[in-house]
Each structure stands twice: as C-alpha cells, then as structure tokens.
Amino acid sequence: MYSAIVFLPILASAIAGLLGRIIGARASELVTTGALLVSAALSVVAFMDVTIGGHSHIIQILPWIYSGDLKVDWTIRVDALTGVMLVVVTGVSSLVHVYSIGYMHEDPSRSRFFSYLSFFTFAMLMLVTSNNFLQMFFGWEGVGVASYLLIGFWYQKPEANAAAMKAFIVNRVGDFGFALGIFGIFFIFKSLDFDTVFAAASGQVGHTFHFGSWDVDVLTTLCLLLFVGAMGKSAQLGLHTWLPDAMEGPTPVSALIHAATMVTAGVFLVCRCSPLFELSPTALEFVTFIGATTAFFAASVGLFQNDIKRVIAYSTCSQLGYMFVAAGVSAYGAAMFHLFTHAFFKALLFLSAGAVIHAMHHEQDMRKMGGLWKQIPFTWAMMLIGNLALTGVGIPVLGIGLAGFYSKDAIINSAYASHSHMAAYAFILTVVAAGMTSFYSWRQFLMTFHGRYRGQDHDAHASHDDHGHHAPALSEVHEAPLVMLVPLAVLGVGAVFAGIAFDHFFLGGNSAAFWHGAIAAIAGDGLKPIESEFPLWVEFAPFVLTLLGFGVAWYYYIAHPELPKQMAAKRGMLYLFLYNKWYFDELYDFLFVRPAQALGRFLWKRGDVGVIDRFGPDGAAWLTQVFTRGAVRLQSGYVYHYAFAMLIGVVALVSWFMLLGGAK
C-alpha cells in the first residue's frame, strides 16, 4: 500500500509525459488524476493506520549507496508526521488534478502539464517518506525541478521564464545550505539515517569544531545550515522573493506548489529534525525570529497588492512564518496543525481565485473587478469560507471557529507562554500580523466581489490591461464548470471542519498517542503552552485585531471607495515602501543581479572575445590563413620551378652529408 502511494504518481507521470501524444490529452488527464485519487484514498488509510492505529513502518525498497562509511538504503518511513503529510500532499494534489481538467481544458499542452503535476507529487512524496537525509535531499531537489517546469509551463511568456529561473536560482541558495548541513551531519555522525543521527545527537551537546578563526557549536551550526534550506523552500525573509513571482504559472500550480505542499517542506524538515533543534536553543531562537519577522513582513506587503494571486502568495509567506514561530518555541504540534489546516483554506483561496480569473477571462487585477458576487455566487461563498478560515474567525471563549482559528491561535498562545528569548517578539508580531491578515484578506474579497464593477461599462468594448488580457462585461462573467467547483466544495468542507475535527489529535489530550514520538518534545514542553490558561486579553487580542482589520477594509473599500485612490495618488513614503515590497527586489538587483551581469559582460567581451577567441580560434585561423597563402604561392604549376626546387634540395642534402662527414 505504501509503495503504491508513492509510486503511482510517477508511473502516471511517465505515461502522460512519454505517451501523451499517442493516447491524447483526455487519456493523460484521466490516468494522472485517477492515479492521484487512488493515492489519496490509500493515504487516508495510511493516516488512520499510523495515527489512530498507532503503527509505524519502515519499508526498504532497495539498497542504494554503499561506499565506505556511507550506507544509504532507499526506504519508505511512515509515522504520524509522514501520515499528516501524505494526506496533505495527495489530498490537495488530487483535487488540483481534478480542478485542472476544467481550468486547462483549452491548453494544447495539457498532457505535459499533467505529467509535471504528477512528477511534482512523486518528488514531494519521496521527500516526506524519506528515512535518511540523502533521500530527503533527492525529493527536495525533485520538487525544485518540478516547480521550475510548472512555473515556466507557459514558456512563451518572458515573465513565466523569468519567474521560473528566479525560483530555481533563489532556491539554489537555500539548497546549498541544506547540502552543507547534510555533509556536516555525515562528517559528525558517520551516518545519514534519521534514527541513528537523532539517537547520537545528545552526545554532541557542547561540542565545537574549528572553522576559520572561530570555534562554533556543532549542533547549532548543523541546525542553522538545515534551516537555511528550509528558508529557501518555505520562502522565508531573505529567500522569499521567488514566491510572489511564481504566480506567473497556471493557477493550479499556485495552489499545489505554493499553498499546501512544496512551501511546507521547510516546516516539515524542522519538525522532522526536532531532536536536533531541541538540543540547540540558539537555533530555535533564530527559527522563531525569522518566522515572526516573515509573518509580519509578508502581511505588511500584502496590504496594497492588486494582483489577486499575489495577495494570496504573500499570505502564504506570512502563514509559513507562523508555522516556524511554533516550531521555534518547540510547539511542533501547533506547527503541523497549522500546516494541516492551512493546506485546506489556502488551496481553497488559490483555486477560488483561479475560478475568478477564469470568469474574468484571465484578468487578475482586482482594480478591474468588483460586484461579482451575483455572477459567481458559489465562488463567492467558497472565497468567503477561505477568508474566514485564513483570518481565524472564531469565538475565543467558546473555542468555536473555522480551521485557522484553532491552529493560528494555538501558535500565538504558544509564543506567549514560551520561555524563549524571542517569545515576546514573536507574540507581538504574530498578533499584529493577524490584524494585517484580516485587512488584506477582506480588502481582496471586497474589491473582487462587492462594490461597483470596475472592469468596463455594460455597453463598452472590453478594456485591455498591459498584458493583453481584458476585463469582460459584467454580463459575460459566469461561474466555472462543475469539474472546477467540486474541488472547491471539498476544500471548503475542510476549511470549516479541519480545525475542530483534529484539534485534539494535534494539540489536546490525544496528541501524545497521535504522534508516537514522531516529533521531539511533543508530549512534554511542546504541549504545555497550548494547554495552559491564558489571560483573557491574550485570547481576545487576535480576535479584536481581526475585527479591526475587517472594519478598516469595509470603511476604505465599501463605505468610501474613493479613499484608496487618493492615498495611492499621494504616493506617500510608507505606501510606496509597502507597495514595492520593502524594496527587496531592487536591493537584490543592485547587490547581485547587476554585478553578475557586469561580470558576465566583462568575461564575455574581454575574456571570451578579447583573449580566448583572439588567441584561440580566431588566432589559429589567422595563422592557418597566413601559412596557407605562403604554401599556395609555392604551388605555381611550372615544371622548371619544381625542378629548380628539387635541385636546391639535392644541393642542400649533399652539403649536409659533406659537412657531417668532415666533422667526423
């Protein structure tokens, strides 16, 4: 069963990719989607087996690498942590496959698209079922390749190509740190097997090694290197710039990769390696700092974005920051709980946004929307549920709310109760980020579905944006086909009930049995903050700021819709700072892109053309031409010239032998 979960997607990917032109697009869709639905059903069975049943499995597929001390087998590890990820990955992926049948129905290359989707799912499954660091790195790089292919799927668009390359290059920075961490783990522990490394980790507490002129802590260094990899994949501050640009890919790609699966790989890595991180308070504090700062940063940038998908993309960055805050304060159960609930409501938001874009003839600018709720009421309802779940709407005293209410508040409460040096910083920033999340979420919702329609007048021709897309007449806006709406309904149910249904498994009294030691400290300090009593103001602070964010969004975009235009026209310093995403792209362009381009031009003009070509191919060609011209002149075609040359040769030879004989 477990092998089928992992290998069905890659089998389907191979069929669609290699035989797609033979069997046709429809057959490719059915093969890949059917394989993912079977894999998802088996994942639910596996989830029940390893969580409620209390079983865990390590299944050896085949021996892989045996070289000296390095012994790595290809295995499948299934425990509670893996079980959660199996449900998330296969569940979201199967729904995205179904949704894509409708969304991509006009694309002539959809066999290739579905092959890429299934290949990505296989790589992600290899990552989460790995039993050693090398196999995890294989899956880690596999999802990187798949994301490059999917983001740049519409390779005819320069923006898509640029976004794919940006994602690939930025992730190489994080992956380099991850690779160094793996090298260091093997150097210290002489093994890459999880159980072996984790069992020996406590013996390295307090040990240092010499690097340059410093003596650095072994475990802290290894954990920080691993976390650099997590920062890249999970788009944390500094390595986040690829994620918003990745919205150039088709919307189903955004939902699959950038909402629920690939970007959560970093959180999964930290939780899987919690036995290492628990032994390094410094590393945990750094994780907390980066997570809290990212949650605040991304939420602030999302305040004034106008592309409907980019708003959700920055929301993803922010929510991943929340997960790292939980992991940083040792609340690993809360981190995985938010990962679980986030998969439902963020995939719902992305796919709902895709339904809006589909209805708007591929228009993504919210400034050209408005008043759509009557035209697409089902999409309106699903987006409403997604927003309520994302903003964590619920009643604190009664403990009743949508999915995000349970997991997000658990993280905020864990930060408040933690004894970490970064706990207060994380608590303040996550609470403030909750208010900003409410504002940008409801701003997006109100700009899209309420107020007057701003696409065009009813009797006007379609208005085109800078990319050639057009906003249709309101009468032309229509609901998506049923094959796209069914996945929304399923995700909507999860966004409503995933929190209340699984709260006790992830965080409550059943959590110790649920995890079975899959995460360090989950039955100890990791649960205490969540089960403690909190001051009333702590429980109500996120709720109040959420209401405040909604009120401000309503005031600006419904009561006084002229105010945002006036504010944008003033181009104030704070507005420009947030609208331009804290100028990270401009800073990186100045520090890295332009110098790299200048170096490339120098090496091309001066090195390649000026030196190599001049003295290499061009120089050799010039010398060949010179000698050839001289040789041609010797070939006159006259017999007496050749006879004279032969005579000169005979005289030269005779003279040589005479002189040589005289010398003897």
Side-chain angles (χ1 to χ4, degrees), residues 376-388:
I376 46 176
F378 186 82
T379 303
W380 171 86
M382 293 300 101
M383 186 74 87
L384 176 63
I385 292 173
N387 269 358
L388 291 171

Side-chain angles (χ1 to χ4, degrees), residues 54 63 149 226 248 256 299 325 363 453 456 504 534 551 592 606 649:
L149 296 173
L226 294 176
E248 293 294 339
L256 179 63
V325 166
E363 177 60 66
Y453 182 63
Q456 66 173 61
H504 290 290
F534 300 98
F592 303 115
R606 302 295 184 184

Side-chain angles (χ1 to χ4, degrees), residues 479-504:
E479 198 70 85
L482 189 63
V483 72
M484 293 174 61
L485 299 183
V486 170
L488 297 185
V490 175
L491 292 169
V493 172
V496 174
F497 297 109
I500 193 170
F502 291 94
D503 179 45
H504 290 290

Side-chain angles (χ1 to χ4, degrees), residues 117-136:
L117 284 184
S118 294
F119 170 66
F120 168 83
T121 307
F122 163 74
M124 192 68 196
L125 290 172
M126 290 307 308
L127 191 159
V128 302
T129 60
S130 57
N131 190 42
N132 57 73
F133 285 98
L134 190 60
Q135 187 176 332
M136 177 180 279

Side-chain angles (χ1 to χ4, degrees), residues 353-415:
V356 172
I357 295 168
H358 181 273
M360 290 292 294
H361 296 192
H362 299 287
E363 177 60 66
Q364 297 182 198
D365 192 335
M366 296 185 298
R367 293 170 296 184
K368 297 180 181 179
M369 300 179 187
L372 300 181
W373 72 276
K374 290 184 179 180
Q375 307 299 119
I376 46 176
F378 186 82
T379 303
W380 171 86
M382 293 300 101
M383 186 74 87
L384 176 63
I385 292 173
N387 269 358
L388 291 171
L390 170 62
T391 55
V393 172
I395 304 174
V397 175
L398 299 179
I400 299 175
L402 277 77
F405 166 75
Y406 295 91
S407 55
K408 184 195 69 177
D409 281 19
I411 293 173
I412 294 174
N413 293 343
S414 298

Side-chain angles (χ1 to χ4, degrees), residues 79 104 115 145 166 192 214 227 261 263 276 291 356 372 381 389 420 432 462 528 535 543 566 612 660 663:
D79 54 17
M104 302 293 291
S115 176
V145 171
K166 187 174 184 179
L192 294 178
W214 300 283
F227 183 62
T261 51
V263 292
L276 297 178
V356 172
L372 300 181
S420 168
V432 173
K528 289 179 181 178
F543 177 74
Q566 296 173 6
I612 297 175
L660 186 63

Side-chain angles (χ1 to χ4, degrees), residues 561-578:
E562 73 281 356
L563 291 180
K565 293 182 180 179
Q566 296 173 6
M567 181 175 63
K570 291 180 180 178
R571 301 181 66 82
M573 185 179 297
L574 179 60
Y575 172 81
L576 289 177
F577 181 71
L578 297 179

Side-chain angles (χ1 to χ4, degrees), residues 98-118:
V98 174
Y99 179 93
S100 298
I101 293 175
Y103 192 88
M104 302 293 291
H105 74 282
E106 295 180 350
D107 198 294
S109 301
R110 54 189 188 277
S111 293
R112 177 167 58 90
F113 179 78
F114 278 86
S115 176
Y116 290 169
L117 284 184
S118 294

